[in-house]
Amino acid sequence: AQSVTQPDIHITVSEGASLELRCNYSYGATPYLFWYVQSPGQGLQLLLKYFSGDTLVQGIKGFEAEFKRSQSSFNLRKPSVHWSDAAEYFCAVGPLWNTDKLIFGTGTRLQVFP
Amino acid sequence: EPEVTQTPSHQVTQMGQEVILRCVPISNHLYFYWYRQILGQKVEFLVSFYNNEISEKSEIFDDQFSVERPDGSNFTLKIRSTKLEDSAMYFCASAVGNTIYFGEGSWLTVV
């Protein structure tokens, strides 16, 4: 079955600390992989995506993610977190051949302390 | 930067009433979607729409739901007879290629 797992429901970091949010997927074919961010009361903003090629992808707001096929993972990283990064982060996987459906993980809520 | 816009941002409705949520997708996009997020839960796919017809729908998208692209720019989701469990944030999205862009969402509260 196709699924996305985000093992960490809630993460708290200090401002300036590094961050890694975990995402594992189960998908029958080569997936497209996405990270979205949702600030409180806001919509879903695309941070970055992986389709093919270089397995380390850069996104907006200083985020990056690395696709590791052997581990079925697509973890999101940021070297130095800012207070404005506090939000909910969703990993999602979709099919390579059409855009009919994204499957979302349950999300990781990031809290940033000054 | 072009964006998907949704109206209303928040609607409160009585159980059994009809609700229409409106969306203006990004203009050159070809695929359109509705997703929903019940408070505290994951984002769930409802329906996708391409070439003026539904291309896929989830089991959530039963007969009380319908979608329409009435005038080539708007994309609407109609819930015919709302139930308490329809309370959720409804996201419209559009895509070209393989990247989906979401709107800000419409909060629907059914009382």
Side-chain angles (χ1 to χ4, degrees), chain A residues 14-47:
Chain A
S14 298
E15 192 170 19
S18 63
L19 173 70
E20 182 168 29
L21 303 183
R22 295 183 290 166
C23 172
N24 293 95
Y25 67 90
S26 173
Y27 204 78
T30 304
Y32 281 179
L33 293 157
F34 305 83
W35 275 98
Y36 288 87
V37 60
Q38 183 182 31
S39 297
Q42 302 297 309
L44 294 163
Q45 182 181 23
L46 179 67
L47 279 177

Side-chain angles (χ1 to χ4, degrees), chain B residues 28-70:
Chain B
N28 64 332
H29 285 191
L30 303 175
Y31 295 84
F32 313 108
Y33 313 81
W34 285 98
Y35 287 74
R36 80 171 184 189
Q37 183 184 29
I38 295 172
L39 189 64
Q41 299 186 22
K42 68 166 69 177
V43 179
E44 303 173 289
F45 168 79
L46 289 179
V47 66
S48 59
F49 193 86
Y50 171 69
N51 201 26
N52 284 319
E53 60 183 21
I54 291 173
S55 51
E56 186 174 350
K57 59 184 181 180
S58 72
E59 58 189 26
I60 302 169
F61 194 88
D62 61 21
D63 291 345
Q64 69 161 338
F65 291 94
S66 63
V67 289
E68 194 176 38
R69 190 159 157 78

Side-chain angles (χ1 to χ4, degrees), chain A residues 48-65:
Chain A
L48 47 77
K49 61 191 177 188
Y50 172 77
F51 291 168
S52 65
D54 191 346
T55 56
L56 184 64
V57 292
Q58 302 297 320
I60 62 171
K61 305 185 179 186
F63 284 92
E64 66 178 28

